[in-house]
Amino acid sequence: MAAKEPSGKKRISPWKILCILWCVIAVGFWLSFFWMVFREKTYEFLQPRDSVAEIHIGFCAEATDLYSYPSEEWQELVSSRYQPHAELDPSQFDSFLEDFHSLECHQWVNDPIPCIQGETIRILYTDGSMEWICAHGTFSWDSTTGKTDATWYHFDTDPFREFLDSNGH
């Protein structure tokens, strides 16, 4: 039985306070986790628009698990399996990139996708950097630093394909 204060009121047990505090922290953690994982994002390109030299739409045969290769070889591996089908005219870059931002994009917080496959957008930048974007992941290579990055940006497959179809694929 809880001890009574001289005024006749019950004191709250320190264990009860700890339990309530723990529950509040756990609920806050899970709410922030779900907000971070499942919120829509706008895809952020590797470099700004004025650095884009070429945009290709094509197909990338499934690359072997990138993690079985040193990261320095990823760029060469993905490039060797990419077959462009259409190249956009530079006059189309602004509208293409602007329209691309209208696609729903989610970033999962787990292991990055190990390969780029299927219908893919390849963006070449003036400094030689490259970026590949498919419906289920992205891969970029920064020529100035040599850094490679595979991330799990997920686009809804049907709108992604419709976007490519409407832009010359």
Side-chain angles (χ1 to χ4, degrees), residues 49 52-55 87-95:
R49 157 58 191 106
V52 174
E54 296 176 16
I55 298 177
E87 182 175 347
L88 270 62
D89 186 82
S91 66
Q92 298 173 299
F93 290 176
D94 287 332
S95 63

Side-chain angles (χ1 to χ4, degrees), residues 27-128:
V27 167
F29 168 78
W30 284 109
L31 286 174
S32 63
F33 174 78
F34 284 115
W35 175 80
M36 183 177 71
V37 170
F38 296 111
R39 67 186 168 125
E40 282 185 28
K41 295 184 66 130
T42 301
Y43 182 77
E44 296 177 24
F45 294 100
L46 181 64
Q47 295 184 14
R49 157 58 191 106
D50 59 347
S51 299
V52 174
E54 296 176 16
I55 298 177
H56 297 133
I57 298 173
F59 187 82
C60 193
E62 184 174 343
T64 309
D65 180 9
L66 292 177
Y67 293 121
S68 62
Y69 294 89
S71 61
E72 305 83 48
E73 295 177 16
W74 289 2
Q75 186 271 337
E76 194 173 311
L77 180 65
V78 174
S79 288
S80 70
R81 301 196 176 175
Y82 180 76
Q83 299 167 358
H85 298 298
E87 182 175 347
L88 270 62
D89 186 82
S91 66
Q92 298 173 299
F93 290 176
D94 287 332
S95 63
F96 180 87
L97 297 173
E98 187 176 315
D99 291 347
F100 186 81
H101 277 287
S102 68
L103 292 175
E104 289 184 20
C105 173
H106 305 276
Q107 184 176 15
W108 305 112
V109 183
N110 55 359
D111 289 341
I113 193 164
C115 62
I116 299 299
Q117 63 185 15
E119 296 173 299
T120 306
I121 299 166
R122 180 177 67 181
I123 301 175
L124 304 172
Y125 294 97
T126 54
D127 69 355

Side-chain angles (χ1 to χ4, degrees), residues 145-158:
T145 63
K147 180 182 175 204
T148 56
D149 186 33
T151 58
W152 199 308
Y153 281 98
H154 175 77
F155 299 91
D156 293 329
T157 304
D158 290 337

